[in-house]
Amino acid sequence: NISFARARVADRNGAGIRAEGRNLTVQSSRFVNNETGLLDGGQPGSTLRIVDCTFTANGVRNVAAPSPALSVGAVAILRVERSHFEDSGGGAHILSAAGRTELIGNRIEDGTTGVRDALVVLANAGALVMQDNTLRRGPNDARFNAAVRADGGAGELAFRRNTLINASARPAALLLDWSNGDARFTGNVLERGDVERSTEGRWRHQAIGAARSLCGQARHLAGSGLRAVRDMLR
C-alpha cells in the first residue's frame, strides 16, 4: 500500500524503487509517472516478486534508449502476478533479463501514446511462462506490433490462455521470436489476422548483432596490438 510517484534524476534514470539487494517482494503498491517504475540491477540468484501492483504512466520515451516501466537485470526469477500496467510511454512495459520470467494473470496495455517496443521484452530470452494475461496493443507507432519480443538465448517460451487485443490498424503477433528457444502455445485468444508467433526481422537482427560483436573484437585486438607496439618501443 505504498505509492511511488514522479521519481526524477538528472540522467533520466530515476526509479520509484531501485533494487540493489536480493529477494524483494512488492505487494499492493502503485508506481505512477516515474522515469522507471522499478529498476532491479540483477543480483544473481535473486527472486523479484510483484503482486497486485499498478504501474501507470512510467517510462521515458524521447531518449536514445527509452526506459520501461519495470526493468529487471539477470536475476534468477521474476514473477509478476495480478498486476496492471497502463499508459506507459517508454521502451516497453516490462524489460526482463531474468533466467526465468513468470507473468501470471496481469493486464498489460498501451494507452494513446503506447510503448515503442513490444509490451514485454526478454533481453536475453531466458525461460518465459505467460499465463492468463490480457495484452492490448494500441493505435500507436510502435517499432514492433507484438505483445512479447524474445531476443537471443534458448529458453523455453510457454504461452497459455492469454488474450491479445489489437487496437492498431495492422496485424499483431503474440510473440516476435528472435530467440533460439522452443515456443509453445496453448489456448490463447487472438483477433482475426493476428498470429501467435512471428520471426519477422530475426535474421537481420542476428546479423547486426554478429557484426557488432565482430567490430568489438576487432577494436579489442587493435587496441591490444597498439599496446604491444608501444611496449616494444619503450
Side-chain angles (χ1 to χ4, degrees):
N1 297 314
I2 300 175
S3 291
F4 302 89
R6 291 192 56 77
R8 301 284 191 276
V9 296
D11 63 0
R12 309 200 72 181
N13 193 32
I17 293 179
R18 187 177 298 272
E20 299 178 353
R22 294 169 58 89
N23 300 331
L24 172 67
T25 297
V26 183
Q27 186 169 354
S28 301
S29 294
R30 295 162 296 280
F31 297 82
V32 182
N33 194 15
N34 303 285
E35 289 174 330
T36 301
L38 191 154
L39 175 60
D40 190 314
Q43 285 285 345
S46 180
T47 295
L48 172 62
R49 294 180 65 243
I50 298 172
V51 184
D52 296 322
C53 290
T54 300
F55 290 74
T56 302
N58 298 279
V60 176
R61 187 183 186 92
N62 56 342
V63 292
S67 60
L70 171 61
S71 180
V72 180
V75 300
I77 299 173
L78 166 65
R79 184 176 177 91
V80 184
E81 306 172 60
R82 301 187 305 275
S83 293
H84 187 193
F85 294 77
E86 60 180 351
D87 292 334
S88 293
H93 289 277
I94 300 172
L95 173 64
S96 175
R100 180 178 177 85
T101 299
E102 301 173 350
L103 305 178
I104 311 297
N106 304 289
R107 185 172 182 91
I108 305 170
E109 55 185 330
D110 273 339
T112 303
T113 303
V115 294
R116 286 289 292 134
D117 208 311
L119 302 178
V120 177
V121 175
L122 297 187
N124 295 313
L128 170 69
V129 175
M130 287 196 70
Q131 182 172 305
D132 299 321
N133 300 280
T134 298
L135 307 146
R136 181 183 182 276
R137 287 259 55 173
N140 59 71
D141 60 344
R143 291 175 61 206
F144 310 110
N145 201 23
V148 179
R149 180 168 68 85
D151 184 3
E156 182 179 354
L157 311 173
F159 294 81
R160 307 173 189 138
R161 302 186 303 275
N162 301 286
T163 298
L164 175 59
I165 301 170
N166 182 11
S168 74
R170 55 195 176 109
L174 180 59
L175 169 66
L176 180 59
D177 191 0
W178 290 354
S179 76
N180 298 310
D182 180 18
R184 301 183 181 185
F185 304 89
T186 306
N188 300 290
V189 178
L190 281 69
E191 298 184 0
R192 180 176 296 180
D194 296 338
V195 297
E196 288 186 316
R197 178 176 180 267
S198 170
T199 60
E200 181 180 358
R202 175 180 178 179
W203 300 115
R204 178 178 180 275
H205 170 75
Q206 292 183 346
I208 291 173
R212 287 175 176 169
S213 178
L214 287 172
C215 287
Q217 293 175 25
R219 284 194 297 269
H220 175 72
L221 290 173
S224 298
L226 181 59
R227 286 192 295 271
V229 171
R230 287 174 176 170
D231 290 342
M232 290 174 62
L233 295 175
R234 286 177 180 172

